[in-house]
Amino acid sequence: MYFSDLGIIALILALGFALYTVIASILGAMRSAPPLVASAKRSLLAVTFFLLLASAALVISFLRHDFGVNYVAEHSSLSMAWYFVTAAFYGGQEGSLLYWALVLSLFSALFVVTSKRAPSAFVPYVMATLMGIESFFLLMLATLSNPFVRSAVAPKDGAGLNPLLMDPGMLVHPPMLLMGYMSFSLPFAFAVAALITGRLNAEWLRSIRRWMLAAWTLQTAGLLLGAWWAYHVLGWGGYWGWDPVENAALLPWLTATAFLHSTMVQERRGMLKVWNLFLVIASFALSIFGTFEVRSGLISSVHSFAYSDIGAYFFGFLAVVLLFSSALFFFRLPALRAEQEFDSVVSREGVFLLNNLLLVGMTFAILWGTLFPLISASFRGQTMTMGPPFYNQVVAPMIVLLVLAMGIGPLLAWRRTSLTALWRNISTPAILAALCALVLPVLGITDVAANIGFTVCTFTAGAILYEIWRGARVRHRHGESYPRAVYMLFQRYRQRYGGYIVHLGLVFLVAGIIGSHYFQQQQDATLKPGQDMNVAGYRLTYLGNIDEKDSDKETISAQVQIWRDGKLQSYVYPGRVIYSNYPDQPTSVIEIKTFVATDVYVYLADWQGAAQATIRVFINPLVPFVWWGGLLMILGGILCWWPTRRRLATAVRPRTVVEKESVKEKPEQVADGGVIA
């Protein structure tokens, strides 16, 4: 008996238990039968066990080099290192679907273990929804996309992994992004449970928040790792190319970000109930759309798998999700009326609404650009694509407005804020922004769009740091040192101050995008040993090529020196790797050296023996800000998600700037500081 046989049996059993969980959960809820619900919980855990067993069977098949399994033969070879052999588990369509289903089962099991924290009426419907999704994936795995299918004759060696995936980024980026896609299932399941039970008050928002924060953080990490992988592997000097699959991964992140802001308005004012449910459903639907897009082959992308029939089934599943959730949504629409109305545009909820409109506007623009090839082919008979200029022109202004709103929002009170109080609160960050606008031309930065972007980033960073300083000063006045005061702020009010960290990270990220987009410099030169090229104050000296041959690959590296101000800064060895299994797909070895906040990006474009090479150099200012900002966003997301200890009744509560002013004007306008994520 092969391990692949065990894997097939495990998939079939997992499918059976998933279907039973759906039925038992629904019947248990409808009949108010706790034993049935308990049975459904145990059945769900059985699904997790069998998917772990199936996944282990596939990994063992890879490690044993069982090339009789078609999937193993197509994505691994004898010469691959064991960690790449293991990572090949999710290197193709079948394995990635199994990984998706496995992680969904693990998250579902985590929900069952922690279900005492959720409203009891929600639990069976959440389980039924999760296992309904799981059943679809298991049905695909057991039939159309089975990773355990065997061939009649096993080859002596496999084809090996795609050379572009033979990189450490392969070990972290795909599983993190797939986990991000999957994690939107949990908030969606809570939304379905709330719609079915009719319990649409703030209770379901409290239940869903931590799951949505976890999904948002995972998707943020997946996007950041994807950008990092592209930057270090592909050799084009950038980290985001507006590829359709990249766009699809960004879409649910945008709607989830909008939801995390608008939930505060519903909890505080009883408004935006319809909007919040729409955003949860949209986030899950867009995650399924992203999974469908990679597997349908309908939209051309360097990330897509080859066309397969499974794409049509994913489209059908997406249609069922939209029809089912829309029917529930409209059925409960009368119960979703707002409890209050907006009092003033100059208020915290007004800025949150603007924030949401910008995020959804970006979502629509990116979705439109992604689907435009299909739309143009259907109506005009020719395929037309939207390139990066379209996205940059449409999305960039909205990002700048979003960053500005992030800075103003925390400085406003709920309901309304007087213009006098508003100016008093924003004066300090406004002065910092004005100084930035004056200094930038002196530094030689004269591009109007870049100056506006940097000025807005300065304003928002100043507003965030000013708020943190104000909170620390309140605690300092009660006897705490400033370091202790800052620590206690983050310890006791993680959602608010974790949100500030997220915002600060986004400011860094946007500043990095502006710097690298507007001020990147590129130069190519064909050099012989001893010759130089000069780019933006850096001198690169080419010394010759090094050719190294192994059993499964050949590596050609150019030896280059980097000089700055007459001093040798570093040796770099940009190269190309040619794998014997893929001789027509040489991969790049990119050399990136960071000097303060500027990357010197060196790429071997071409070579001739040991005596000549074409070197391509990019000078990328502020790209490190992208990675620092992304890490801050992930850290802030974890802080928001991390459970807080129960507050002491005598705890010092630091008020924000706007709270200080609001107390003077009208007590009921005091802001309470929610999740600013």
Side-chain angles (χ1 to χ4, degrees), residues 231 592-595 597-601 618-621 623-624 627:
Y231 188 62
I592 303 170
K593 293 297 179 181
T594 302
F595 301 97
T598 297
D599 280 353
V600 178
Y601 185 105
F618 296 89
I619 305 299
N620 294 330
V623 166
W627 318 127

Side-chain angles (χ1 to χ4, degrees), residues 151-443:
S151 58
V153 179
K156 294 182 179 180
D157 197 359
L161 199 61
N162 186 315
L164 285 176
L165 302 179
M166 298 283 283
D167 181 84
M170 169 64 178
L171 306 178
V172 289
H173 163 51
M176 187 62 69
L177 193 59
L178 287 169
M179 190 182 300
Y181 273 144
M182 176 285 310
S183 58
F184 290 107
S185 304
L186 273 297
F188 174 73
F190 271 97
V192 169
L195 286 168
I196 291 175
T197 60
R199 301 177 66 168
L200 297 165
N201 51 20
E203 184 180 28
W204 80 276
L205 286 177
R206 288 191 292 271
S207 301
I208 201 178
R209 178 188 291 137
R210 187 162 291 163
W211 292 108
M212 185 61 91
L213 278 169
W216 181 91
T217 304
L218 289 170
Q219 192 72 357
T220 301
L223 289 167
L224 181 68
L225 288 169
W228 175 84
W229 176 83
Y231 188 62
H232 285 77
V233 171
L234 298 184
W236 55 286
Y239 45 82
W240 190 267
W242 294 111
D243 179 86
V245 172
E246 293 174 343
N247 295 348
L250 181 61
L251 294 174
W253 183 90
L254 290 170
T255 52
T257 304
F259 172 80
L260 289 171
H261 286 81
S262 60
T263 51
M264 288 182 286
V265 179
Q266 181 174 341
E267 286 189 302
R268 175 75 185 192
R269 302 291 313 280
M271 303 159 61
L272 301 181
K273 294 180 180 180
V274 172
W275 187 245
N276 285 329
L277 278 167
F278 165 76
L279 290 173
V280 175
I281 295 169
S283 297
F284 176 69
L286 289 170
S287 71
I288 295 298
F289 169 75
T291 309
F292 154 75
E293 183 186 7
V294 177
R295 289 155 181 83
S296 65
L298 295 178
I299 301 176
S300 178
S301 168
V302 296
H303 300 80
S304 297
F305 297 117
Y307 176 81
S308 69
D309 293 336
I310 198 173
Y313 291 92
F314 263 92
F315 181 77
F317 178 65
L318 178 59
V320 170
V321 167
L322 291 174
L323 289 173
F324 174 71
S325 54
S326 297
L328 284 175
F329 181 82
F330 286 110
F331 176 70
R332 294 295 185 186
L333 198 57
L336 295 172
R337 288 176 294 185
E339 298 171 15
Q340 301 183 52
E341 296 181 355
F342 279 101
D343 295 298
S344 172
V345 175
V346 187
S347 61
R348 187 173 293 197
E349 56 265 44
V351 173
F352 282 172
L353 180 59
L354 173 63
N355 165 296
N356 269 237
L357 293 175
L358 290 169
L359 287 166
V360 174
M362 283 188 274
T363 303
F364 177 78
I366 295 170
L367 182 62
W368 171 261
T370 303
L371 294 177
F372 190 75
L374 295 180
I375 297 171
S376 62
S378 300
F379 289 95
R380 301 189 61 177
Q382 57 181 346
T383 300
M384 302 175 65
T385 59
M386 294 290 195
F390 164 78
Y391 297 105
N392 293 334
Q393 292 172 11
V394 174
V395 176
M398 289 191 277
I399 292 177
V400 173
L401 288 174
L402 180 66
V403 172
L404 181 62
M406 285 183 349
I408 296 175
L411 304 177
L412 299 178
W414 296 100
R415 299 176 66 88
R416 63 177 62 86
T417 303
S418 70
L419 294 179
T420 302
L422 174 62
W423 171 245
R424 189 160 52 245
N425 294 335
I426 70 170
S427 57
T428 298
I431 291 171
L432 292 174
L435 290 174
C436 174
L438 292 173
V439 169
L440 287 174
V442 177
L443 297 176

Side-chain angles (χ1 to χ4, degrees), residues 21-92:
T21 304
V22 174
I23 297 170
S25 296
I26 295 174
L27 289 178
M30 293 176 64
R31 297 178 179 179
S32 299
L36 266 179
V37 176
S39 176
K41 290 181 179 180
R42 291 190 291 270
S43 178
L44 187 149
L45 296 177
V47 173
T48 305
F49 169 77
F50 285 116
L51 276 169
L52 283 170
L53 187 61
S55 300
L58 184 58
V59 171
I60 292 172
S61 297
F62 269 108
L63 293 175
R64 289 170 58 89
H65 300 297
D66 184 0
F67 298 124
V69 179
N70 290 342
Y71 185 73
V72 174
E74 291 168 359
H75 296 92
S76 69
S77 64
L78 293 172
S79 59
M80 285 170 54
W82 68 268
Y83 42 86
F84 285 128
V85 171
T86 305
F89 169 80
Y90 42 76

Side-chain angles (χ1 to χ4, degrees), residues 7-22:
I8 292 174
I9 295 170
L11 286 178
I12 295 172
L13 289 172
L15 175 59
F17 277 103
L19 292 172
Y20 172 79
T21 304
V22 174

